Amino acid sequence: MILGDRYRAARSAATDRLMTRRLLTAALLAITLLGFAVPAGADDRDFQFLSFIHSDITSEFSNDWGAGRSGGRGHKGNDVFSPKGTPVLAAADGFVEKLGNGPRSGFYVKLRHADGFDTWYMHLDNDTPGTDDAKGGSERAYAEGIEEGDFVEAGQIIGYVGDSGNAEYTTPHTHFELHRDGRAINPHDYLEGAMTRWLRVESLADELA
Ligand SMILES: [Zn+2]
């Protein structure tokens, strides 16, 4: 079955909502053409993290965008710290564009989302469990069975936290990048928003317990 069909089968429930949104968009356009004012500043192409990127509510991260790196490079993302082996989750629905391994990035996953957004997850786990031997291979890095071209839902496990690439022998973390139309942008507000919403759901769970 071609990818598009698989995607449509998996997301059929979302279709009605999408159609509603398209009708609303068409209605707004009609209103604009009729000369009525439309609220300014609304951008329905803005990215929404539907999931935090680690399954660890105590994950630590800071606004380390632009911080100095070797060779005069600036930091093009945010580092999110969790124990080695913590599941790494897709921030939003999308497709697996690339499963790769580079000298700096180590094992990484690149997801393509709607509206020109990509998310990159680097330094995935490369160790045999309980060691720091860098001999775990790709089966430690990626979620079982995941392949380029796969559709993944927000919150789906795509890999595991590690220290591969130039993070070897540092504290395990995911170097996370958000790209819009091919350019890296600071993901900090998005990460913080996703974590804040998650914490609110957790406190609701406590309330209801
Ligand atoms: Zn980093």
Side-chain angles (χ1 to χ4, degrees), residues 115-197:
D115 296 328
F117 288 97
D118 294 314
T119 51
W120 301 16
Y121 313 73
M122 302 183 192
H123 306 319
L124 300 176
D125 195 7
N126 65 341
D127 296 316
T128 309
T131 76
D132 196 6
D133 64 359
K135 288 179 179 161
S138 58
E139 64 267 35
R140 299 302 309 160
Y142 306 130
E144 201 181 338
I146 199 168
E147 285 178 26
E148 289 177 1
D150 282 355
F151 170 72
V152 290
E153 290 197 309
Q156 189 173 326
I157 298 176
I158 54 173
Y160 298 93
V161 174
D163 62 2
S164 61
N166 64 5
E168 200 62 64
Y169 311 119
T170 69
T171 308
H173 66 276
T174 301
H175 171 91
F176 176 76
E177 293 190 12
L178 174 64
H179 291 229
R180 182 174 196 171
D181 299 328
R183 278 196 19 240
I185 58 176
N186 189 348
H188 185 257
D189 288 351
Y190 297 89
L191 287 170
E192 198 163 67
M195 178 56 91
T196 302
R197 289 192 297 275

Side-chain angles (χ1 to χ4, degrees), residues 60-65 75 77-81 186 188 191:
E60 287 184 14
F61 59 98
S62 62
N63 190 359
D64 54 357
W65 169 266
H75 197 223
N78 285 175
D79 291 340
V80 181
F81 293 83
N186 189 348
H188 185 257
L191 287 170

Side-chain angles (χ1 to χ4, degrees), residues 1-8 10 93-100 108-113 145-153 156 158:
M1 205 189 289
I2 63 166
L3 287 171
D5 286 346
R6 257 175 32 205
Y7 171 70
R8 274 188 288 277
D93 293 357
F95 291 89
V96 178
E97 183 172 316
K98 180 89 180 146
L99 300 173
Y108 68 90
V109 176
K110 229 168 117 175
L111 299 183
R112 168 157 288 187
H113 307 284
I146 199 168
E147 285 178 26
E148 289 177 1
D150 282 355
F151 170 72
V152 290
E153 290 197 309
Q156 189 173 326
I158 54 173

Side-chain angles (χ1 to χ4, degrees), residues 49-67:
F49 277 38
L50 299 177
S51 169
F52 190 70
I53 65 156
H54 286 179
S55 70
D56 167 19
I57 205 158
T58 64
S59 298
E60 287 184 14
F61 59 98
S62 62
N63 190 359
D64 54 357
W65 169 266

